[in-house]
Amino acid sequence: MSPVKQKGGKLSVKKPEHKVRIVGGMWKRTPLAVADVAGLRPTSERVRETLFNWLVHLRGNGFGRMNCLDLFAGTGALGFEAASRGLAHVTMIEENGTACAQLQVIKKKLNAVQVSIYCADALKFSGQLARTDRKFDLIFLDPPFRKDLLPRVLPLCVRLLASKGLVYVESNEAVTNEKLRFWMEDSVPGLQIIREGRAGQVYYHLLEMKALSPS
């Protein structure tokens, strides 16, 4: 930390600016400043690289036609990574005003015209979207840990997903297909885990909409 002289000759300690870096795509290696907001937890470079390796394998040829929803945008690490990789449009939702303002600064810096940012409650916003015909091919869910938000928001995501849509989930505990069935109350169609991993205390998962069984 660097000392900063203030009026009266007193010294204060200036915190180093926290940044994340875009891993790939047209903005590869671009550093993005992170707002000084308690609880913000950027998805690590390692995890983002793994996630997008999965996505390239599964949907790489269709990135230019995909719409993405980042419901708990936070630092924007996931949403801007998606835009950098060529997804057609990314909608970011962030409730904290300071974090949301920083997302707008980053959008302007990158001239990210394919990114829309809304300062709103993720649950309320997703509920509003679910009452419309808006559909997304990819949804990022990285909510604050230990607030039990996944059981509330995942059923809404089912209503927002396009055919063969994907949901990426980060959590402080493992998500299982049994948990998903319980949260969805056995609704059809539902979601199933197709990829998963762990990095330290973070569990990450890629979910896909199940195909309807022939009647």
Side-chain angles (χ1 to χ4, degrees), residues 28-205:
K28 184 177 180 180
R29 299 189 185 93
T30 300
L32 308 177
V34 175
D36 186 14
V37 175
L40 280 191
R41 181 181 35 78
T43 300
S44 71
E45 292 181 19
R46 170 191 163 191
V47 171
R48 275 183 281 134
E49 184 169 15
T50 298
L51 167 61
F52 279 89
N53 285 342
W54 292 343
L55 293 174
V56 167
H57 176 73
L58 294 165
R59 301 285 193 275
N61 292 333
F63 276 10
R65 300 184 299 276
M66 289 176 66
N67 288 318
C68 173
L69 175 63
D70 190 356
L71 266 179
F72 299 87
T75 67
L78 286 169
F80 286 116
E81 186 79 44
S84 179
R85 302 284 186 135
L87 270 73
H89 192 267
V90 178
T91 301
M92 294 187 186
I93 314 301
E94 173 53 46
E95 184 176 17
N96 182 277
T98 301
C100 195
Q102 183 61 51
L103 294 176
Q104 295 285 5
V105 169
I106 294 171
K107 174 183 173 176
K108 183 177 181 180
K109 171 186 174 180
L110 298 175
N111 190 28
V113 295
Q114 70 276 58
V115 174
S116 298
I117 300 168
Y118 298 89
C119 191
D121 176 270
L123 282 170
K124 291 180 180 178
F125 196 92
S126 57
Q128 293 169 2
L129 286 174
R131 292 189 287 272
T132 72
D133 292 328
R134 187 81 180 272
K135 298 293 182 183
F136 297 90
D137 305 288
L138 175 63
I139 298 177
F140 294 137
L141 286 183
D142 183 13
F145 284 177
R146 298 178 181 85
K147 289 194 175 182
D148 205 30
L149 290 168
L150 290 177
R152 299 166 62 191
V153 72
L154 273 169
L156 292 171
C157 289
V158 169
R159 297 167 60 188
L160 294 172
L161 277 177
S163 176
K164 298 182 181 179
L166 299 168
V167 180
Y168 170 75
V169 175
E170 274 190 37
S171 176
N172 59 298
E173 59 184 27
V175 175
T176 65
N177 283 317
E178 290 72 21
K179 284 183 180 180
L180 290 176
R181 284 192 291 270
F182 178 73
W183 293 341
M184 302 295 166
E185 298 179 348
D186 296 318
S187 61
V188 177
L191 294 166
Q192 62 182 357
I193 298 168
I194 58 172
R195 300 283 193 281
E196 57 190 327
R198 181 180 179 182
Q201 300 301 309
V202 175
Y203 296 81
Y204 53 100
H205 321 73

